[in-house]
Amino acid sequence: MEYRRLGASGLAVSEIAYGNWRTHDAPGCVAAALDAGVTTFHTAAAWDGGAAEASFGEAFAGVRRDELVLCTGVFWAEGPGPNDTGLSRKHVIASLEGSLRRLRTDHVDVYQLLRFDYRTPVAETFLALSDLVRQGKIRYVGTSEWTAEQLLQAHEAASRHDVPFIANQPHYSMLWRVPEAQVMPVGQRIGVGQFASLPLAQGVLTGKYRDGHIPAGSRAAGPAHARPLLMPELLERVELLRGVADDAGLTMAQLALAWTLQHETVASTVVGASTPEQVTENAKAAGIRLDLDVLTRVDHLLGSFVQTDPRLVWSPPAFSASSASSA
């Protein structure tokens, strides 16, 4: 495993991070991650009704806390009430208290604002975060899927309230390069590093959806997360990447993960797994540097299927915090 500094901070994170958005074999996967040198773990308060955090709390029993960079986040609905969602001072503080209980810890290393809240002033959110930082419950603050303009608002508020704002977590993969045009350059300018999220494009870049077949138990077999990507023409192009991966001595998943780490602003790429074996294989993508020929072949094969328009965001103004349970 190799490690990188997150943004302009001194915090070191593992190039491969393990993300948990549902309950599964968390103890086995966490053990495999730690054996592979993974130190950075991601979850969120709303994932699986809090059970994802609780499974991490159980899995980390006996692990020295200082070995971990533990990231969790707030925004999505955690209950039926009007204050059970978003980034109000009330919800941010209440959500964190619940997260700390479930994770069985007294602090979070990176506390992430999982979407921009158009209903709450940014200053209100960062004043609450400032209080939590001073109480020792948060070490650093991050965002997820915020636009470049929103990152600048966060940077201004963080500077005013002395909040260590160091991270953003955009969706970023071979197919989804939207952050490259604006989010990543702005992040670099203000000292914010990137956690690459969905680097496998919800499993599509692993090649497991060959011919549009959806394996039982896969993410696409549940809510239709990956289904918009299961176009025959795209799957044909993705299958051609198998030759690129073979030539590089990598699995398709390792190629996709290593690709995200080639961008200088990406500190870590966040990937989930349902078995310890997947965690072990994914971790082998750390430290790999892809040469120009590989990167050129990837661009050529994926062609027009690559999305780059900076106007494409996952949380437009009309997006409701209660309209999704994970992202």
Side-chain angles (χ1 to χ4, degrees), residues 98-117:
S99 292
L100 295 178
R101 285 195 305 272
R102 290 186 290 270
L103 292 167
R104 304 183 186 181
T105 186
D106 62 356
H107 72 279
V108 170
D109 294 293
V110 183
Y111 195 50
Q112 297 180 270
L113 311 176
L114 297 179
R115 291 297 185 273
F116 186 84
D117 186 350

Side-chain angles (χ1 to χ4, degrees), residues 208-276:
K208 68 180 179 181
Y209 299 129
R210 194 184 309 189
D211 301 325
H213 173 68
I214 301 176
S218 67
R219 194 172 186 186
H225 292 294
R227 293 178 190 272
L229 295 173
L230 301 183
M231 299 177 290
E233 299 86 352
L234 172 58
L235 296 178
E236 289 175 7
R237 295 295 187 95
V238 168
E239 186 59 26
L240 294 175
L241 292 175
R242 195 175 299 276
V244 180
D246 289 344
D247 290 345
L250 304 170
T251 66
M252 290 182 69
Q254 289 165 355
L255 174 66
L257 295 172
W259 184 92
T260 66
L261 291 167
Q262 306 311 297
H263 200 285
E264 61 180 342
T265 70
V266 173
S268 181
T269 189
V270 185
V271 60
S274 55
T275 67

Side-chain angles (χ1 to χ4, degrees), residues 5-314:
R5 300 294 169 180
L6 183 55
S9 78
L11 180 65
V13 294
S14 52
E15 286 190 344
I16 304 298
Y18 175 55
N20 179 23
W21 62 85
R22 58 180 179 170
T23 54
H24 54 279
D25 181 13
C29 289
V30 167
L34 293 171
D35 287 345
V38 172
T39 60
T40 308
F41 296 84
H42 287 253
T43 187
W47 284 190
D48 209 359
E53 285 184 329
S55 68
F56 261 176
E58 296 174 5
F60 292 137
V63 179
R64 191 168 67 88
R65 179 65 180 85
D66 288 346
E67 295 179 4
L68 307 174
V69 176
L70 189 53
C71 312
T72 193
V74 59
F75 175 79
W76 304 113
E78 299 172 44
N83 291 309
D84 291 333
T85 188
L87 300 180
S88 69
R89 177 182 180 85
K90 180 176 177 62
H91 182 55
V92 165
I93 294 174
S95 180
L96 178 64
E97 295 294 347
S99 292
L100 295 178
R101 285 195 305 272
R102 290 186 290 270
L103 292 167
R104 304 183 186 181
T105 186
D106 62 356
H107 72 279
V108 170
D109 294 293
V110 183
Y111 195 50
Q112 297 180 270
L113 311 176
L114 297 179
R115 291 297 185 273
F116 186 84
D117 186 350
Y118 290 88
R119 301 170 302 174
T120 302
V122 173
E124 175 183 335
T125 301
F126 275 82
L127 178 58
L129 295 171
S130 177
D131 291 341
L132 295 169
V133 167
R134 281 154 182 74
Q135 293 168 18
K137 296 178 179 179
I138 296 172
R139 298 292 189 259
Y140 301 92
V141 168
T143 52
S144 179
E145 278 299 296
W146 286 36
T147 67
E149 180 182 355
Q150 291 162 359
L151 290 178
L152 290 173
Q153 292 182 50
H155 175 64
E156 180 182 1
S159 299
R160 186 183 318 121
H161 295 291
D162 293 325
V163 173
F165 172 45
I166 66 168
N168 181 53
Q169 186 173 340
H171 295 169
Y172 184 58
S173 70
M174 291 178 181
L175 290 170
W176 191 266
R177 308 185 192 181
V178 170
E180 291 181 345
Q182 297 178 358
V183 166
M184 288 175 165
V186 165
Q188 189 170 38
R189 194 172 88 218
I190 63 178
V192 167
Q194 308 296 327
F195 286 123
S197 182
L198 299 184
L200 301 180
Q202 295 152 325
V204 170
L205 291 173
T206 67
K208 68 180 179 181
Y209 299 129
R210 194 184 309 189
D211 301 325
H213 173 68
I214 301 176
S218 67
R219 194 172 186 186
H225 292 294
R227 293 178 190 272
L229 295 173
L230 301 183
M231 299 177 290
E233 299 86 352
L234 172 58
L235 296 178
E236 289 175 7
R237 295 295 187 95
V238 168
E239 186 59 26
L240 294 175
L241 292 175
R242 195 175 299 276
V244 180
D246 289 344
D247 290 345
L250 304 170
T251 66
M252 290 182 69
Q254 289 165 355
L255 174 66
L257 295 172
W259 184 92
T260 66
L261 291 167
Q262 306 311 297
H263 200 285
E264 61 180 342
T265 70
V266 173
S268 181
T269 189
V270 185
V271 60
S274 55
T275 67
E277 292 75 20
Q278 287 178 337
V279 175
T280 301
E281 286 303 306
N282 290 340
K284 294 176 182 177
I288 293 172
R289 300 298 175 261
L290 303 177
D291 61 33
L292 181 60
D293 177 65
V294 171
L295 298 174
T296 301
R297 290 172 68 188
V298 168
D299 290 347
H300 175 71
L301 290 174
L302 294 181
S304 61
F305 290 100
V306 173
Q307 295 288 347
T308 60
D309 189 342
R311 295 171 297 178
L312 297 175
V313 294
W314 284 64

